[in-house]
Each structure stands twice: as structure tokens, then as C-alpha cells.
Amino acid sequence: MTITVYSKPACVQCTATTRALEARGLDFQVIDLTEDDAAMSLVQEMGYRQAPVVVAGEAHWAGFRPDMIGQLA
């Protein structure tokens, strides 16, 4: 399963999310929404207005969600 974290600089919830993924030994990719217009458009089309947005397989969510991250491990 591919895990992608759409993030922004200096985002507390983004940092918490990536740390939680790392703590569980999960591989993930981080895409900076401030540097990738296509990624920003994709996230907005999905209906999200806050970072981070995590896409893990067919599941996706916004914000720091330890409950959802726990389901990935």
C-alpha cells in the first residue's frame, strides 16, 4: 500500500502525522502542497481544506488521526 502525506511547512499536525507513521515503521511519501500546484488541486478536489491530508490505499483523511494511522500498522 502506498501512503502519501500532503503537507505544508511549519504544520504541527503534519509533523505529528509523519512522526506517528515513522514510529510504526511505515513507508510514506511527503508532498509539500506549497510547492506542488497539482497536488494542491488534487487535495482540494477531494474536499479537503486543511493539512495534512493522508492518502493510504483507498482510505484518506485530513488532520492528525492517530486512530487511522493505527489501522495502517
Side-chain angles (χ1 to χ4, degrees), residues 12-33:
V12 174
Q13 290 191 42
C14 301
T15 301
T17 297
T18 56
R19 284 184 181 164
L21 290 167
E22 288 170 352
R24 286 167 178 74
L26 297 168
D27 291 325
F28 61 93
Q29 168 185 354
V30 176
I31 296 177
D32 187 337
L33 292 170

Side-chain angles (χ1 to χ4, degrees), residues 1 5 15 20 24 26 29-30 32 38 40 43 45 58 64 66:
M1 169 180 34
V5 179
T15 301
R24 286 167 178 74
L26 297 168
Q29 168 185 354
V30 176
D32 187 337
M40 179 65 88
V43 165
E45 287 171 14
E58 294 190 19
F64 176 51

Side-chain angles (χ1 to χ4, degrees), residues 5-71:
V5 179
Y6 295 94
S7 181
K8 289 186 173 185
C11 166
V12 174
Q13 290 191 42
C14 301
T15 301
T17 297
T18 56
R19 284 184 181 164
L21 290 167
E22 288 170 352
R24 286 167 178 74
L26 297 168
D27 291 325
F28 61 93
Q29 168 185 354
V30 176
I31 296 177
D32 187 337
L33 292 170
T34 64
E35 295 180 1
D36 190 328
D37 291 337
M40 179 65 88
S41 294
L42 173 69
V43 165
Q44 289 175 340
E45 287 171 14
M46 294 170 70
Y48 294 113
R49 300 281 180 249
Q50 75 176 53
V53 172
V54 180
V55 178
E58 294 190 19
H60 50 85
W61 65 87
F64 176 51
R65 295 284 307 273
D67 58 324
M68 297 297 286
I69 293 168
Q71 292 178 21

